[in-house]
Amino acid sequence: MNESRPRKPLFSSGSILRKRPPATPARLAVGAVLFAGCALGAWLTIPRPDVRVINASGQSITVMVSAGEGTVSQKLGIDRVWAVEQKFTGGGSLHFEVGLPNRQGVKTTLAAFKLPLRVAVDESGQVAPR
């Protein structure tokens, strides 16, 4: 004849604690290496912008960036950075037009630039590499 055993819950705090392997230094090191590898892989796959525009003019401006492929524009507040999402090819020329409040737009052309490129807009609206 079969004896019936009392039922126990499948997951209880006592059963989970008993079944866990000991935390040895070797297991902790393997876990740390796996975590570091995953973090490095995630960091390497983050898309990086080709061009960053930094507003160092002290006023709100409108920036338009154009190359042979197309044109993009963005309004920047005081001390703001714009990571331009447009994909540009390096080596050509990149045209910037900065619209300052109560003034005409200032045009700047950077020729034979190397990507990634960081530029800053000064008080007069001129764009210079950083």
Side-chain angles (χ1 to χ4, degrees):
M1 300 243 260
N2 292 339
E3 274 181 36
S4 64
R5 286 187 263 152
R7 294 183 134 210
K8 291 192 298 186
L10 185 61
F11 296 108
S12 66
S13 61
S15 68
I16 291 174
L17 290 175
R18 278 193 312 257
K19 294 179 184 177
R20 180 180 293 166
T24 62
R27 286 178 190 260
L28 293 174
V30 168
V33 167
L34 289 174
F35 178 78
C38 291
L40 178 65
W43 182 75
L44 289 174
T45 58
I46 295 173
R48 305 277 193 276
D50 289 340
V51 179
R52 280 191 190 270
V53 179
I54 301 163
N55 183 8
S57 67
Q59 53 195 335
S60 294
I61 60 173
T62 302
V63 180
M64 184 169 40
V65 181
S66 62
E69 307 80 54
T71 302
V72 290
S73 65
Q74 178 76 29
K75 210 170 175 154
L76 291 176
I78 299 172
D79 296 328
R80 294 290 181 186
V81 177
W82 175 34
V84 182
E85 296 296 328
Q86 177 85 16
K87 294 292 182 188
F88 297 109
T89 56
S93 61
L94 200 58
H95 307 283
F96 294 90
E97 186 174 345
V98 178
L100 298 167
N102 302 326
R103 286 195 244 168
Q104 286 187 349
V106 178
K107 294 182 181 181
T108 307
T109 300
L110 296 178
F113 60 91
K114 188 174 160 188
L115 297 175
L117 178 67
R118 291 177 59 144
V119 296
V121 179
D122 64 7
E123 295 86 15
S124 63
Q126 293 293 321
V127 176
R130 264 191 107 131

